[in-house]
Structure formats: structure tokens, C-alpha cells
Amino acid sequence: MSPTVNVSQNGTLKHQDSNSSIFEIGDSDLSRLLTRQRPVSIERKRSFDERSFSEMSISSPPRQFYRNSENSSRVFDSFSGIGSPRSFTCVETHPIVAEAWVALQRSIVHFRGQPVGTIAALDHSAEELNYDQVFVRDFVPSALAFLMNGEPEIVKNFLLKTLRLQSWEKKVDNFTLGAGVMPASFKVLHDPVKDYETLIADFGECAIGRVAPVDSGFWWIILLRAYTKSTGDASLAELPECQRGIRLILTLCLSEGFDTFPTLLCADGCSMIDRRMGIYGYPIEIQALFFMALRCALLLLKNDEEGKDCTDRIVKRLHALSYHMRSYFWLDIKQLNDIYRYKTEEYSHTAVNKFNVMPDSLPDWVFDFMPSRGGYFIGNVSPARMDFRWFCLGNCIAILSSLATPEQASAIMDLIESRWKELVGEMPLKICYPALESHEWRIVTGCDTKNTGWSYHNGGSWPVLLWLLTAACIKSGRPQLARRAIELAETRLLKDHWPEYYDGKLGRYMGKQARKNQTWSIAGYLVAKMMLEDPSNLGMISLEEDKQMKPHMKRSASWMC
């Protein structure tokens, strides 16, 4: 158990009460209410090549022991509370697995006696800043680790607490944010005089650049589906408050405006890359998460009047979004050659170069980076602009959500395998490639000294991405790639005290400002290990290809057709 942190309140937050809200119920009453779960039989659907089971099936090794901080023996398959690995058996149990579970347990944050999340980092050697908070995106790998280990309570509590925070009034200066915005993070405020705890949240009013987290709502929906899939219990998702929370998030995204594209227009710094890095516009990370959240919402929304109206809008958007992304964001050697030969200033519905991209804007590096076999979803597409950088999270989520067709998923894996040195190097995994340097770095990042070339968001190597790579590899039938990456990470992570990120073209050096004991580095490793040893775990975070999706259109057709 990690102690709560004494902090001062940030931002201006005001709770809006509802006459019929579950949040008026006391915490103990709410816990009892949700404990009486209505079992629902949900069959696990495997959205990856079935051969991966036979390839990876192996008998369980003997029970493993590790020591906790009090040096008392514990057994992996004995359940002794949140954070202790209940039934963890590895394909090849590595010594750092036990240490990882101990570290994950230490990161747990409690609110009024209940576990509600994990702290971003427990590095006492550096200034806390906002690393003492529970981040929505950061908690996802921790949540998956707990679910895979048969410990759903902390995930349920997290989903409910963040849902409660969504109902607060959210202001940045004198501007009120949309009702559906989820917080970027929250922390526990302890009043030692009254011996009372409250939650305070950051919706972007304290973030660098004051940008609201677009991805938080998507991750919340995805995690709610993972919880439902893992536990087989739909009672949480069916609560009126959860149904309303889903609809509020989607209302922000599905509202009509001036957009001519089905993708979401975003500001820089609205996702995992939360600093100025030139991802403004239509970043692949947000579009892939948007697509996955829409598909998860279809599975979660009830078939009542409000739910049906929302699902009708979702289905229409999914058809348009899948076509747009698969057609205009996809890049392989053929498409690269087509762009190289583009004509410009085309006008009419028959235009091939619809976004009027100038062929001279193609960066030199992309011609050498693109293998003869392989491809990927590029970073951004908007009028007269294509960002050809490779972004890990967006491409992995595209595979897991089936935004990528089976052929495109295989091509992404081919690219990773062909460009292993560039994208994986000595520590998985590059958050983006290549890095911005020299004049381009000055213009795009605004001379950001934290995002210098091959550091942090600018080409840094992030161990947390290991779980996404592993999931994508298993779904694509390439578990051997995941095993290779995991073994590479195991040579350094514990010795380096679980850093947030690594620097350098090969990821050889610990990040210059990287926090140690970064929780999602720990959880990402554990999730990757558990998925590799039991591929059925992938079911909670992967979606089958939608066979009813509208057939692929010709590139000259408008996405509105």
C-alpha cells in the first residue's frame, strides 16, 4: 500500500449533484451494491491466428517464490490482496517478474480504504511535479495486469471514481469544457486535521500547454470493455451512470461541425505525446483510439432509445472513418511512389491528390525507411500536409482494433521486423521515428529542451509500449517478435530501476530526465509477459475484424458516398 500524498488543491472544480446519482451513495454502500454482480456469460473471441496457441502452449513450471519488503516468503499462486500475483506462471519465469509485481503493488493509491489506481512514478530522487498523480492513460497497463491476474476490484473502483470526476464542472480560466471530458489525472487530497480524503482532478488546466486530454475518454471506454470482457460481468457497464458517461464522451466526438473528414481535429499535446511535437490536426494515435472506442461503445451501450440513437451514429462514423484511414493514412511502397508522382492543383471529385500534397514535401528519410514489403499508418493527414513519421501507439492500436485490415496488420509487422534496429534497437520501443533535429526541431517543438533529438517524445524509446507491441504481434501471428523484444527489455529494466524512457538512436542510454520506478514501465512489462504466456488474455484488449464493415471503396470515391 502506498501512502496518500498531501497536496494543495489545483484548478477550479465544482461537483454537480444529480438527484439520482450513484455517487450520492456512500462508498461502503456502493461497494456492496456492485459486489452483487449479475453474472453474464461472455465467450472469449480470439481475434488472432489460432496457431499462436499451439506455438506457445507449454506446461506450467513449479510454483515460484519471491520476497516482499518485509522479507517474508510469498507464493505466486496464493492470493493475498491487491497487487500480489495470484496465479502467475511464465513461459520462462524471469527473476525480474517478482520484483515487478512488488513494485506495482507499491504504486497502488488508496482512497478511503479502497484501491483506486496506481501512481505515475515512485521516484523520490526527483521533484514530483505531476508524477504523484493517477493518470488515466498510465493506469491502463496497470489495470490490464490486475485483470489478467484475476483482481478486478481496483479497476472497477478506478472506472467509477473517474466517472464521478467527469460529472464535475471543468474550467480553464473562464472557459467551461464539455461535459464529457474525462480528467487527465487525479490524486488523493488528505486533510490531516479532519482525517478526511477527497479527490482532485486535472482536466488540462494544470497541464503543460493547458491542453485537455482527448485520449482519456477513449481509454476509459476501452478499459470498461476490457473489464466487462475479463470478468464476464456487464452490471457495471449497464449502470445508468456508465451508460451516460459513454454517451457524453461520444457526444463530444460525434457532434456536427465544419469538418469535411470523419477524423477528429485535435490540438498538439492532447495525448501520450503531451508536449508540442507537431501532431496537431488529425494524429494517428487519436484516430486509432477513437476508432477502437467507437467499436467498444457498440458492445457496451444498451439497446434502449438513447443507446440506439447513439449506436446508429457510431455505425455511420465507423464506416466513414475506416475507409478514410485505410485509404489516406496508409503508406506502403506503392502508395509512396504514387505520392512521389502526384499532380497538384487538382479540382473535382475525380482528383487523386485530394489533399493537394506537394511531392517535394516528401522527406528524404522515408524512401530509405520504407521496405519493399511492409507499410504503416502515417502520423497525420490534413490539407497540403502529410506527417510521414512512424508512431508506435497508433499503429499498434490500429491492429488491435482491426482498423488495420489483416493485410495491413501483416505489413506493419513486416515493417517492424525489417526496421528492427531503427524501431527497437537496444530497448523497445520508439515512440516515433525518426526524431526531429536541427532547424526542424526548433520550428516544430519551439526549441523544447526536453524533446531534443532522440529523447523523450522526440524519438525516445519507451518500455511501456512493450505491451502494445506484444499484443499486436500475437494478434498478427508473430509471437516470436514479441518474445525477442521482451528478452531485450529484461536485460536492462530492473537494473536501471524501471525508467520512464531511454534516449539515443538505439535506446542505449537512460533518458536524461526519465523518472525511475515508472509504474507503466513496470505494468507494461508484466502485461506483455502474461499475454505471451497465455494469448487468451489478448481477448480483453483486442477486437475481431467487423465482417459487416462496408466493402473497401475505390480511392477516387468520396468517404461520404
Side-chain angles (χ1 to χ4, degrees):
M1 172 177 175
S2 59
T4 54
V5 184
N6 295 334
V7 294
S8 58
Q9 181 143 355
N10 59 356
T12 55
L13 302 172
K14 183 170 61 179
H15 183 251
Q16 296 175 334
D17 292 321
S18 170
N19 293 331
S20 59
S21 170
I22 61 170
F23 304 122
E24 292 178 351
I25 305 173
D27 282 343
S28 59
D29 295 330
L30 178 59
S31 178
R32 288 196 298 271
L33 173 67
L34 290 172
T35 299
R36 296 194 295 271
Q37 298 173 342
R38 178 165 55 87
V40 176
S41 177
I42 298 181
E43 181 183 357
R44 283 192 182 274
K45 293 184 178 180
R46 294 166 176 79
S47 52
F48 48 89
D49 195 329
E50 294 291 341
R51 289 174 301 175
S52 60
F53 281 109
S54 58
E55 288 171 2
M56 301 170 63
S57 103
I58 191 167
S59 58
S60 299
R63 302 195 324 182
Q64 303 294 320
F65 292 80
Y66 72 93
R67 300 276 180 175
N68 66 5
S69 55
E70 288 78 29
N71 293 322
S72 58
S73 296
R74 293 168 115 173
V75 186
F76 271 131
D77 58 357
S78 64
F79 180 69
S80 55
I82 289 290
S84 56
R86 184 180 63 165
S87 56
F88 193 82
T89 54
C90 292
V91 175
E92 294 178 6
T93 303
H94 197 281
I96 74 171
V97 170
E99 297 291 342
W101 275 111
V102 171
L104 184 61
Q105 183 180 17
R106 287 175 183 153
S107 72
I108 295 175
V109 174
H110 288 76
F111 175 66
R112 299 179 186 174
Q114 293 184 330
V116 294
T118 50
I119 202 169
L122 278 172
D123 186 354
H124 302 297
S125 65
E127 186 181 359
E128 284 182 339
L129 297 177
N130 59 353
Y131 284 84
D132 63 344
Q133 301 186 23
V134 179
F135 280 81
V136 173
R137 75 176 68 95
D138 290 38
F139 181 67
V140 171
S142 295
L144 294 176
F146 290 126
L147 289 174
M148 291 177 187
N149 198 49
E151 302 174 41
E153 179 192 1
I154 186 173
V155 183
K156 178 181 69 178
N157 294 340
F158 171 85
L159 289 167
L160 287 171
K161 296 308 178 187
T162 47
L163 183 62
R164 179 178 184 177
L165 296 173
Q166 185 197 42
S167 68
W168 290 5
E169 183 182 59
K170 303 167 275 281
K171 279 191 173 182
V172 177
D173 294 332
N174 292 320
F175 182 74
T176 301
L177 279 67
V181 174
M182 280 288 186
S185 61
F186 67 85
K187 57 184 173 182
V188 176
L189 177 68
H190 180 69
D191 185 338
V193 177
K194 297 181 179 180
D195 193 23
Y196 188 75
E197 292 178 340
T198 56
L199 293 179
I200 57 174
D202 177 15
F203 292 91
E205 72 273 19
C206 296
I208 297 171
R210 302 301 186 264
V211 179
V214 177
D215 62 338
S216 286
F218 299 151
W219 280 123
W220 187 88
I221 293 175
I222 293 167
L223 187 55
L224 178 59
R225 186 261 176 186
Y227 172 89
T228 305
K229 181 77 172 178
S230 173
T231 61
D233 172 58
S235 62
L236 177 62
E238 289 177 354
L239 286 173
E241 288 75 14
C242 283
Q243 292 288 305
R244 180 176 181 271
I246 295 171
R247 292 195 301 270
L248 284 175
I249 294 169
L250 297 182
T251 297
L252 289 174
C253 309
L254 300 176
S255 58
E256 297 178 352
F258 291 99
D259 290 318
T260 55
F261 312 130
T263 41
L264 282 181
L265 182 63
C266 303
D268 225 339
C270 65
S271 57
M272 178 181 175
I273 298 179
D274 59 0
R275 303 169 74 90
R276 181 175 163 185
M277 269 289 292
I279 65 167
Y280 61 89
Y282 305 92
I284 179 60
E285 176 177 336
I286 293 298
Q287 313 315 320
L289 286 171
F290 180 34
F291 182 87
M292 189 167 191
L294 288 177
R295 293 204 60 200
C296 288
L298 279 180
L299 300 171
L300 296 169
L301 286 169
K302 297 171 70 174
N303 192 28
D304 53 20
E305 184 176 350
E306 290 179 308
K308 189 175 185 307
D309 177 66
C310 197
T311 55
D312 289 343
R313 296 168 66 193
I314 290 173
V315 170
K316 291 178 182 178
R317 189 62 166 264
L318 280 172
H319 286 317
L321 184 60
S322 61
Y323 168 71
H324 185 90
M325 296 297 296
R326 292 169 181 174
S327 299
Y328 303 123
F329 274 69
W330 181 252
L331 188 72
D332 54 23
I333 195 164
K334 179 184 181 302
Q335 180 63 7
L336 179 59
N337 206 153
D338 289 344
I339 297 172
Y340 179 69
R341 292 168 51 83
Y342 266 171
K343 295 179 181 179
T344 59
E345 311 301 327
E346 292 181 299
Y347 181 83
S348 81
H349 291 290
T350 60
V352 175
N353 185 3
K354 290 189 174 185
F355 301 97
N356 199 34
V357 174
M358 303 297 163
D360 288 344
S361 68
L362 280 164
D364 292 337
W365 64 264
V366 75
F367 294 98
D368 294 326
F369 180 69
M370 180 61 69
S372 57
R373 292 180 66 250
Y376 64 104
F377 289 97
I378 63 175
N380 217 311
V381 177
S382 57
R385 176 181 177 237
M386 281 185 165
D387 182 351
F388 291 93
R389 284 177 294 175
W390 183 89
F391 289 85
C392 174
L393 194 151
N395 277 274
C396 288
I397 291 293
I399 292 175
L400 296 177
S401 65
S402 290
L403 171 59
T405 65
E407 295 77 18
Q408 288 173 333
S410 180
I412 293 171
M413 288 294 112
D414 287 339
L415 176 85
I416 293 174
E417 192 165 12
S418 298
R419 298 292 176 258
W420 187 266
K421 181 178 179 181
E422 291 85 350
L423 301 179
V424 180
E426 297 182 15
M427 174 57 67
L429 189 67
K430 288 296 179 194
I431 188 171
C432 72
Y433 181 90
L436 302 170
E437 298 183 279
S438 303
H439 180 68
E440 189 178 23
W441 167 77
R442 288 189 289 271
I443 296 298
V444 175
T445 73
C447 300
D448 188 349
T449 54
K450 192 168 185 178
N451 270 334
T452 53
W454 306 108
S455 180
Y456 202 49
H457 298 139
N458 189 13
S461 299
W462 291 66
V464 64
L465 297 173
L466 192 60
W467 81 265
L468 283 162
L469 174 66
T470 300
C473 286
I474 295 172
K475 183 172 182 180
S476 304
R478 311 278 186 95
Q480 68 280 3
L481 284 182
R483 184 178 294 107
R484 181 180 172 191
I486 291 172
E487 290 173 353
L488 192 62
E490 286 174 336
T491 63
R492 295 279 305 275
L493 285 178
L494 181 61
K495 181 174 64 176
D496 294 339
H497 304 288
W498 308 100
E500 180 183 13
Y501 64 94
Y502 287 79
D503 284 352
K505 287 187 177 182
L506 299 177
R508 178 174 295 171
Y509 306 101
M510 198 186 311
K512 57 185 176 182
Q513 295 186 42
R515 292 299 197 281
K516 295 181 180 180
N517 296 309
Q518 186 81 12
T519 302
W520 70 355
S521 295
I522 298 164
Y525 166 73
L526 287 172
V527 171
K529 290 287 283 189
M530 284 189 282
M531 281 193 294
L532 191 58
E533 67 194 31
D534 182 4
S536 67
N537 282 321
L538 181 66
M540 69 178 71
I541 199 65
S542 175
L543 296 169
E544 293 276 7
E545 184 182 12
D546 188 354
K547 302 298 184 181
Q548 297 180 346
M549 192 68 72
K550 189 176 292 186
H552 189 70
M553 306 178 197
K554 294 181 180 179
R555 288 189 58 81
S556 59
S558 169
W559 66 266
M560 297 181 67
C561 293

